[in-house]
Amino acid sequence: MDTRFLGIAELDETPSVAVVVDVMRAFTVAARAFAQGAEKIVLAESLDAALALKARHPKWVAIKDGPPAPGFDAVNSPGLLRGLDLHGRTVVHKTTAGTVGALAVKDAELVLCASFVVAEATARALRSHVADRVTFVVTGEDGRADEDLACAEYIALRAAGTSADPAEFLRRAAESRAARELAGGVRQGVHPDDIALCLELDRFPFAMAAASEGTLMVLRPHPVPAPNDRTAP
């Protein structure tokens, strides 16, 4: 499998298969939302677009980066999302990097959105798709976010069927700039458990795939084949 690791601005063509990685925190939050019963997640292009969707669909749950704001139901924090009943609900999600990265590759044949909590499931989804080339979109810090790059590199190894010790990849994420900013109060809308929750390797058994549905880009859980002896860790 030929793999590329690119920032959003470095995307020079529409890839056939894209894995959009945002560990801290968009696609950790998305996975947790599905685990808490969300039916689908609409990836909004802007805060105004998210608010417009919420206005048209008052029962939808709108989530944004940063501090709470009028019109939004929750913030982009896995810790703060806990306890929110999302059973059967549609979530509207707008973040600084993750949702932007997914929308940038919306015309790809397959778009998977990933973080450490769905790493192995994402790797299995790639193996079952049998892709010749996979573009990993490293969303944070203009493609330089080490937590996203570490996760992308780990998933790439597992997708190739290579055994990989996750400890070093998780260490890089734990020591990343994003983790320091979350721990140091630089970012708003943060729960003290957010870093730990973002580093729960393979917490959830599903991958997440985004695809166009009408005029919207919609993220849904993506079933994956069960692991087998050849590719199990």
Side-chain angles (χ1 to χ4, degrees):
M1 182 187 299
D2 179 21
T3 57
R4 300 190 303 165
F5 303 89
L6 302 176
I8 297 170
E10 296 173 306
L11 293 164
D12 54 0
E13 61 182 1
T14 299
S16 175
V17 176
V19 180
V20 187
V21 182
D22 189 326
V23 171
M24 296 184 185
R25 296 164 283 170
F27 297 137
T28 300
V29 167
R32 184 161 291 276
F34 286 130
Q36 291 175 206
E39 178 184 350
K40 63 183 179 182
I41 297 175
V42 177
L43 305 178
E45 294 184 354
S46 67
L47 294 175
D48 287 344
L51 288 173
L53 286 166
K54 173 70 175 179
R56 292 200 299 271
H57 307 278
K59 293 185 179 181
W60 288 11
V61 178
I63 297 176
K64 64 177 283 292
D65 267 340
F72 288 89
D73 304 284
V75 296
N76 187 46
S77 159
L80 293 172
L81 197 69
R82 290 180 301 187
L84 188 62
D85 183 8
L86 297 175
H87 184 73
R89 306 286 294 276
T90 293
V91 172
V92 180
H93 203 188
K94 170 66 180 86
T95 71
T96 306
T99 59
V100 175
L103 288 165
V105 292
K106 64 182 180 180
D107 293 326
E109 176 186 333
L110 175 66
V111 179
L112 298 174
C113 295
S115 63
F116 279 112
V117 298
V118 292
E120 185 62 26
T122 303
R124 294 206 304 271
L126 289 173
R127 289 199 296 269
S128 66
H129 192 75
V130 194
D132 293 329
R133 168 179 274 197
V134 177
T135 297
F136 287 86
V137 183
V138 180
T139 60
E141 299 178 40
D142 297 322
R144 297 187 299 274
D146 202 32
E147 76 281 3
D148 294 340
L149 183 58
C151 183
E153 291 172 350
Y154 178 74
I155 292 172
L157 287 171
R158 296 299 299 125
T162 303
S163 296
D165 183 353
E168 175 61 17
F169 300 94
L170 292 169
R171 181 197 63 76
R172 287 167 53 190
E175 296 177 358
S176 67
R177 175 181 174 181
R180 293 195 302 271
E181 290 182 350
L182 289 172
V186 175
R187 302 188 186 189
Q188 295 180 291
V190 178
H191 188 280
D193 293 342
D194 277 357
I195 297 171
L197 292 172
C198 289
L199 300 180
E200 287 187 319
L201 183 68
D202 302 331
R203 176 67 175 81
F204 304 114
F206 50 81
M208 300 183 293
S212 295
E213 297 186 14
T215 61
L216 302 176
M217 186 70 164
V218 177
L219 186 65
R220 294 182 183 272
H222 184 73
V224 296
N228 56 57
D229 292 341
R230 184 178 68 84
T231 57

